[in-house]
Amino acid sequence: MQLSPAVSALKPSATIAAAAKAKALKAQGIKVYDFTLGEPDFDTPQHIQAAAIAAMQAGHTHYTPSGGIPELKAAICAAFERDHGFRYQPNQCVVSNGAKHSLHNVITALCGPGDEVLIPAPFWVSYEALVELAGARAKIIPTTEESGFRLSPDELERAIGPQSRLLLLNSPSNPTGATYSPEHLEALARVTEKHRLWVCSDEIYDKLVYTSEPSRSWVTLLGGIPERTVIVNGVSKAYAMTGWRIGWTLAPAPLTAAMDNLQSQETSNPCSVSQHATVAALTGSQQCVADMLTEFTRRREYTLSRVRQLPGVSMPEPGGAFYAFFNVSRHFGKALTNGRVCRDSSEFCTALLEDAHVALVSGDAFGAPGFVRLSFATGLANLEAGFDRIAGLLKG
Ligand code: PMP
Ligand code: GLU
């Protein structure tokens, strides 16, 4: 069947594909230790669920304004001011069907053929695909394990060319968990400001930080740089609301109007009930976020201790998010304990899944061959059994 060139070239999301493979094995009755998806295992907190039920019963079951209901835009701006001390206005906010959709809006509204989008690697799997869908070109900037996978100002400066339009930055990062100090971010911001480059700062993991330094929003750097900044965030990770599909952008008003326009043609509006639930998430007690962070902290510590014990494996410590991204390349070309030989991360993940029933995502899809990603957004017992199985396959 003939499809459009853009869609023919599109690969499926590697994270979602890896999760589907694990699910298929589970459907055969096999116990699988699944660490693929970056999705909190917690249920959405009760008070948020209650707000959704109340919204339905109050009749909020109709179309809403395309860019979101005024109460939610106001709540997003107020929460951002509370967390970062920077005031956005509701006409600078578009609410979308998840942060992935927000990213699509930003990239489509700003970039097209001839434009280049700078993406530091390792990067989240959907960045490159969304850029290509918009007809723009992804320019990948490799970063090193030794630098903790942090983009340096020099690396950024060298990558910028005449076609460069936008930098996609994600801190804390999926897949590496890398975070940046405010000084490091300011040094990067001086480069982007010098070149008048747009920056889309994906801050979806900003509440999931394990260092003493809270996450600093890009727009607050250098005394405030809202002119060419887009902030992307959402409720999926911090509030365990992946299925509700709510994300948003904070951006200059003309770009916001353009994205609202785009969204009005593509999807009408984000789910009405989910929008009301999100108002409750952002305006209610933030204790649920703190409680989940406490549990993620415990899982992170356990994960770090187990990764450190794996033979021939290395990893910079993740400062945020809920992923361990480790280098398994020293095992390539050598037999695992069951005699199987892997040549790359994809084969390594296949071996783990087929021989140990442990599901990870290959680093290839994140622009980092030689690495694998493990999501620790799952219970300790699962982590313990999973790590036992990984350790069982690796020769010391
Ligand atoms: N950005 C990053 C870095 C992510 O890991 C994800 C994963 N869900 C998203 C954006 C999109 O989140 P959602 O669409 O669930 O809001
Ligand atoms: N962002 C999560 C992940 O990386 C969820 C899946 C997806 O949307 O890619 O696993």
Side-chain angles (χ1 to χ4, degrees), residues 304-315 326-332 334-337 348 370 372 387-396:
L304 287 184
S305 73
R306 292 299 304 258
V307 172
R308 279 194 208 106
Q309 288 163 27
L310 293 176
V313 160
S314 57
M315 177 179 78
F326 47 96
N327 186 341
V328 292
S329 64
R330 291 172 200 89
H331 290 279
F332 299 164
K334 293 185 210 151
L336 300 174
T337 52
F348 185 85
V372 291
F387 271 110
D388 286 349
R389 283 166 168 260
I390 298 171
L393 262 194
L394 298 184
K395 266 194 186 154

Side-chain angles (χ1 to χ4, degrees), residues 49 60 68 80 84 104 108 111 129 138 154 167-168 178 203 211 253 263 305 313 316 323 328 333 342-343 356 375 391:
Q49 294 191 29
H60 295 300
F80 193 81
H84 298 291
H104 164 74
T108 307
C111 306
D154 280 351
L167 167 69
L168 279 180
E203 302 179 359
T211 57
Q263 183 161 298
S305 73
V313 160
Y323 306 105
V328 292
C342 305
R343 284 167 301 182
S375 161

Side-chain angles (χ1 to χ4, degrees), residues 65-151:
S66 54
I69 55 175
E71 306 91 289
L72 179 52
K73 290 184 181 184
I76 289 167
C77 294
F80 193 81
E81 192 171 15
R82 175 190 71 208
D83 295 342
H84 298 291
F86 188 95
R87 180 76 200 161
Y88 272 107
Q89 300 301 326
N91 69 346
Q92 298 176 296
C93 178
V94 176
V95 183
S96 304
N97 301 283
K100 192 184 274 187
H101 181 207
S102 302
L103 285 160
H104 164 74
N105 285 347
V106 177
I107 294 164
T108 307
L110 279 180
C111 306
D115 290 326
E116 199 173 69
V117 180
L118 303 176
I119 307 178
F123 48 80
W124 179 45
V125 294
S126 292
Y127 285 175
E128 202 178 9
L130 291 174
V131 168
E132 284 165 5
L133 256 187
R137 201 171 75 81
K139 184 168 187 180
I140 308 302
I141 319 176
T143 64
T144 62
E145 185 181 351
E146 294 69 38
S147 73
F149 295 119
R150 287 181 197 91
L151 176 69

Side-chain angles (χ1 to χ4, degrees), residues 193-275:
E193 284 295 284
K194 178 174 135 198
H195 292 276
R196 303 180 64 76
L197 193 66
W198 278 87
V199 178
C200 177
S201 180
D202 181 346
E203 302 179 359
I204 190 110
Y205 296 101
D206 71 342
K207 303 271 185 306
L208 301 174
V209 172
Y210 310 103
T211 57
S212 52
E213 227 158 19
S215 203
R216 179 83 182 264
S217 177
W218 183 268
V219 73
T220 66
L221 301 170
L222 306 177
I225 44 170
E227 291 80 13
R228 280 174 299 277
T229 295
V230 185
I231 304 298
V232 169
N233 211 326
V235 283
S236 284
K237 315 294 174 175
Y239 297 92
M241 291 177 70
T242 47
W244 301 75
R245 310 308 304 130
I246 294 289
W248 56 80
T249 47
L250 294 166
L255 175 60
T256 297
M259 293 191 289
D260 191 339
N261 200 4
L262 174 66
Q263 183 161 298
S264 78
Q265 294 290 12
E266 286 193 334
T267 70
S268 296
N269 62 266
C271 168
S272 59
V273 174
S274 297
Q275 290 187 64

Side-chain angles (χ1 to χ4, degrees), residues 23-36:
K23 233 179 233 147
L25 214 58
K26 284 181 218 167
Q28 294 170 28
I30 296 169
K31 168 77 188 148
V32 178
Y33 299 90
D34 185 0
F35 307 108
T36 54

Side-chain angles (χ1 to χ4, degrees), residues 148 150 172-179 210 317-323 325:
R150 287 181 197 91
S173 150
N174 177 3
T176 66
T179 53
Y210 310 103
E317 283 200 1
F322 34 54
Y323 306 105
F325 196 64

